[in-house]
Amino acid sequence: MISAIECIHASKSFREPADRGDRAGRNGPGARALRVLRVLDLVIPRRVRVDAVKDVSFQVNKGEIFGILGPNGSGKSTLVRLIATLLTPDSGTVTVFGQDVASDRLAVRRCINRVSVEAAFFKRLSALENLEYAARLYGLDAREGKRRAEAILERLGFPHKKVTVPLENLSRGMQQKVAIARALMTAPVALLLDEPTTGLDPVSKREVQDFVLEVRRTHDTTVILTTHDMQEAERLCDRIAVIHNGEFVAMDTPENLKASFGDGNGHTPTLEEAFFRLTGGNVEDWLREQGE
Ligand SMILES: Nc1ncnc2c1ncn2[C@@H]1O[C@H](COP(=O)(O)OP(=O)(O)O)[C@@H](O)[C@H]1O
Ligand SMILES: [Mg+2]
């Protein structure tokens, strides 16, 4: 198998403004240090370091759907941004089809499409207009652009009567579908899906998941998908890496992840149980944090 995406000992930290302690994590080392300094009435440092991605190594095979599963603030988006060349690793290497994200940025960008919740659109334009615009950027002619945009929106279950409504008047779920549609206007070699279904209703979630599976089946696309939804990870991913405080704490197929936490008496835990044992958390905290 050809390795499509590779991270070797990749790390990335941020210098956080001190007053954004929430970003450093309520209980992270940065936040703790701040509290101590406040109690001691010492000068508060202007910046605190956050290790968002710590010494992460993995290889994704061509045509594989690789899941990165972790709670909010665990480093998923940072890792995706490193692969997408939007951030440069502090140390280690990240390559996409053998091309380095730091030195071959343009070559990497040509073979990846990224979908994230903060996707940039012309909010006053409709879904169709935004996708037609993207098609022009991709070098498609206008008629082909429109044809593809309509076909993809339909496939994603986007209501036909809404395709001409300005995006600013659509729900977040529908906007998210437009973001996904845009990434699929060309057949991408590698897709980076950063929480593609977060905030979608169950039916839309299912439609997006089915479409991801279909894209992989029809185009042999390599997919990295981040999620905090364990059913989704289990349903879509060939392998899952569990990320916790910027570090990979496990990486395997969903079956093996579950089996490795078996009790030896024939009880195989669910992925949830395996996950909470890996991250030392509990289900209630998890659900509260995700606001679900
Ligand atoms: N641009 C940034 N500047 C400073 N800190 C950041 C930045 N992006 C992310 N972080 C911090 O890095 C950690 C990981 O964040 P992120 O990768 O967004 O996690 P996730 O996507 O899993 O929610 C968090 O503590 C976050 O506050
Ligand atoms: Mg994120």
Side-chain angles (χ1 to χ4, degrees):
M1 275 229 240
I2 308 163
S3 165
I5 297 171
E6 196 169 80
C7 279
I8 300 168
H9 299 302
S11 294
K12 180 74 190 173
S13 60
F14 296 106
R15 296 231 149 246
E16 257 313 76
D19 59 1
R20 287 161 75 199
D22 58 323
R23 280 206 143 237
R26 255 162 299 152
N27 301 309
R32 230 169 3 249
L34 258 179
R35 273 200 299 275
V36 171
L37 285 166
R38 281 196 184 117
V39 168
L40 296 176
D41 204 18
L42 297 174
V43 179
I44 293 173
R46 289 180 61 79
R47 283 167 184 273
V48 173
R49 210 173 80 130
V50 179
D51 294 320
V53 170
K54 278 186 261 180
D55 195 20
V56 163
S57 298
F58 64 98
Q59 297 182 329
V60 181
N61 300 315
K62 185 167 183 305
E64 186 176 30
I65 301 183
F66 185 83
I68 299 171
L69 178 67
N72 285 337
S74 56
K76 301 182 296 296
S77 296
T78 303
L79 189 50
V80 166
R81 289 195 191 107
L82 287 173
I83 300 165
T85 79
L86 301 172
L87 292 171
T88 314
D90 298 332
S91 59
T93 53
V94 180
T95 57
V96 178
F97 292 101
Q99 302 170 110
D100 189 272
V101 295
S103 56
D104 297 325
R105 186 170 291 199
L106 284 177
V108 171
R109 284 192 184 179
R110 269 197 291 274
C111 55
I112 52 169
N113 277 343
R114 183 181 72 113
V115 176
S116 75
V117 281
E118 79 274 13
F121 281 107
F122 299 107
K123 298 273 182 181
R124 301 232 163 134
L125 298 185
S126 69
L128 202 52
E129 285 165 329
N130 269 285
L131 294 182
E132 284 171 345
Y133 177 77
R136 269 207 294 283
L137 291 185
Y138 289 136
L140 299 175
D141 78 54
R143 189 185 302 179
E144 174 62 10
K146 183 159 190 278
R147 194 194 65 74
R148 275 197 213 180
E150 285 175 337
I152 293 169
L153 287 173
E154 191 187 334
R155 180 65 191 81
L156 284 170
F158 192 96
H160 186 70
K161 60 180 191 301
K162 301 263 186 192
V163 298
T164 53
V165 172
L167 287 192
E168 62 190 4
N169 298 334
L170 296 178
S171 67
R172 216 183 75 60
M174 283 203 212
Q175 295 189 24
Q176 180 72 349
K177 283 189 179 177
V178 181
I180 291 165
R182 184 169 62 181
L184 299 167
M185 287 291 287
T186 57
V189 188
L191 253 186
L192 306 178
L193 302 174
D194 193 4
E195 303 209 25
T197 67
T198 297
L200 295 187
D201 63 83
V203 174
S204 299
K205 211 173 224 197
R206 194 83 187 179
E207 285 164 343
V208 167
Q209 291 174 353
D210 287 343
F211 199 50
V212 171
L213 290 169
E214 182 183 316
V215 168
R216 190 264 296 270
R217 192 171 60 243
T218 53
H219 294 93
D220 204 23
T221 304
T222 305
V223 181
I224 291 187
L225 175 141
T226 76
T227 184
H228 59 246
D229 179 331
M230 289 179 241
Q231 278 87 31
E232 172 164 297
E234 190 162 3
R235 175 157 189 250
L236 295 185
C237 302
D238 301 307
R239 281 186 304 149
I240 298 171
V242 178
I243 187 169
H244 185 52
N245 293 333
E247 288 178 287
F248 275 13
V249 292
M251 175 166 54
D252 215 324
T253 61
E255 295 69 37
N256 287 349
L257 276 179
K258 288 186 287 185
S260 62
F261 285 89
D263 61 4
N265 298 321
H267 168 69
T268 302
T270 62
L271 195 58
E272 275 89 346
E273 289 175 279
F275 181 86
F276 292 120
R277 284 207 232 159
L278 282 165
T279 59
N282 66 61
V283 183
E284 286 72 30
D285 287 347
W286 171 269
L287 293 176
R288 197 166 45 242
E289 269 183 37
Q290 312 310 326
E292 283 171 6

